[in-house]
Amino acid sequence: MMDKGKTEERNKFEKLSNKDLWKIFFRSYWIRTVNCPDRMQSLGLTCSITPIVEKYYDTKEERAEILTRYLDEYFLTNPIMAEWITGIVASIEEKIAETKDMSRDAVSAVKTALMGPLAAIGDGLYNGTLRPVVAGVACALALDGNVFAPLLFLIIMASVNIFIRWTGIFWGYKRGASFFTYLQESGTLTKLIDAANLVAFMVVGAFSATNVTVKLGLQWTTEGTESVTTLQSVLDGIAPMCLPLMFTLFTWWLIEKKHIKPLTLIISYLIVGIALSYLGILV
């Protein structure tokens, strides 16, 4: 039974403090590291919102009921963008604890509505666009002998990662679900995802020309002259960089359509490349 002082404190109702939000922020990293086969990231989300439950509910029975519901509900989205859902859920849980008459079905509705769109944003912008762009710049610097290239990649990716997580928890808590509702209804969310995918395709296309090398070693001597003509120079005269492009599209087709694992392709390309180089077909 709660004592009188604690009851009065609860009647005043204490909103989530920055300290509480920081606890949620650090716990939210478990969303990326803990998955289960049937409910995916529900365990990590439950770990994230535990400080809220501990703040507003005193009995083990109440806490167990709420946490069990989070554990039992399926949850899966981009692990970095998941912090936006966590921040919004924190805001809703605070209102539920304050009003005592708001249904927790609102939490389930928000999770279900935002899991897909946020996964598309995270996969398209962070994994599909930012990661290959930064990796391409870092690889180019590394090939030029810059020893800080790996550190540059780490700093940029980690900084963006932390910023997205921080804004998700703190802005998501302050703005609630209305922010993403506006993005969806206005069509801004769809445009943002389409633009990210377009940029990603452009980046990958540019990398296929600058970072993929396929050179043929076949050559011949023109009769009556001593000039040597290579098949590679003929192809470059017709369509420069056509072989790297065809090789990239072929690799995409094997991965996307034939579902061949990248590691299998790497080993296969290594063996075939050595063999063709030994035969003089590739240089």
Side-chain angles (χ1 to χ4, degrees):
M1 181 179 296
M2 295 187 299
D3 57 30
K4 183 177 179 181
K6 199 166 189 178
T7 302
E8 292 177 354
E9 181 182 351
R10 189 57 47 89
N11 290 336
K12 295 179 182 178
F13 191 78
E14 210 180 302
K15 290 186 175 293
L16 293 174
S17 63
N18 283 336
K19 183 178 180 181
D20 296 323
L21 293 177
W22 277 114
K23 288 181 181 179
I24 299 170
F25 172 83
F26 288 115
R27 281 172 170 261
S28 67
Y29 277 86
W30 286 104
I31 292 177
R32 189 179 186 89
T33 57
V34 181
N35 283 349
C36 58
D38 56 339
R39 289 155 293 164
M40 299 308 292
Q41 300 166 339
S42 66
L43 183 58
L45 180 63
T46 304
C47 178
S48 300
I49 59 94
T50 299
I52 309 172
V53 178
E54 292 177 343
K55 182 182 182 72
Y56 292 130
Y57 303 94
D58 298 293
T59 66
K60 292 183 179 180
E61 291 75 16
E62 284 181 310
R63 294 177 178 179
E65 180 183 356
I66 297 170
L67 294 177
T68 299
R69 176 163 182 167
Y70 276 95
L71 282 172
D72 289 342
E73 289 182 343
Y74 180 85
F75 182 72
L76 179 63
T77 188
N78 181 275
I80 299 173
M81 296 301 297
E83 270 68 1
W84 278 95
I85 296 179
T86 307
I88 294 171
V89 166
S91 176
I92 297 174
E93 284 288 354
E94 182 184 76
K95 291 179 181 178
I96 293 174
E98 182 178 12
T99 61
K100 303 296 183 182
D101 58 358
M102 185 176 177
S103 173
R104 191 163 272 105
D105 290 339
V107 175
S108 302
V110 165
K111 290 194 296 182
T112 302
L114 295 182
M115 283 191 300
L118 288 179
I121 292 176
D123 293 341
L125 287 177
Y126 187 84
N127 293 328
T129 302
L130 181 65
R131 189 187 299 274
V133 169
V134 178
V137 172
C139 288
L141 292 174
L143 290 173
D144 289 338
N146 192 323
V147 296
F148 296 104
L151 184 61
L152 175 66
F153 175 82
L154 178 63
I155 291 175
I156 294 177
M157 296 304 297
S159 299
V160 175
N161 185 312
I162 294 172
F163 178 75
I164 294 175
R165 290 177 182 273
W166 179 84
T167 54
I169 297 297
F170 288 85
W171 288 10
Y173 165 72
K174 292 180 180 179
R175 297 177 182 272
S178 59
F179 176 68
F180 282 99
T181 301
Y182 165 76
L183 289 181
Q184 287 179 297
E185 292 178 350
S186 64
T188 305
L189 190 60
T190 302
K191 294 178 181 178
L192 185 63
I193 295 171
D194 291 341
N197 290 333
L198 180 61
V199 172
F201 292 146
M202 293 172 61
V203 170
V204 172
F207 284 166
S208 68
T210 57
N211 293 338
V212 178
T213 302
V214 180
K215 290 186 178 181
L216 298 176
L218 299 177
Q219 59 184 22
W220 61 87
T221 303
T222 305
E223 186 176 355
T225 66
E226 296 183 356
S227 62
V228 178
T229 304
T230 62
L231 180 58
Q232 184 67 50
S233 63
V234 175
L235 292 176
D236 288 341
I238 299 173
M241 299 296 178
C242 64
L243 289 180
L245 176 60
M246 293 173 62
F247 181 72
T248 301
L249 293 176
F250 176 67
T251 303
W252 169 83
W253 178 75
L254 291 176
I255 295 175
E256 186 70 18
K257 302 299 182 181
K258 296 301 180 180
H259 305 292
I260 299 177
K261 296 180 179 180
L263 181 60
T264 303
L265 286 178
I266 292 173
I267 296 175
S268 301
Y269 286 163
L270 180 62
I271 296 173
V272 173
I274 293 174
L276 293 179
S277 297
Y278 179 77
L279 296 173
I281 299 176
L282 292 178
V283 293

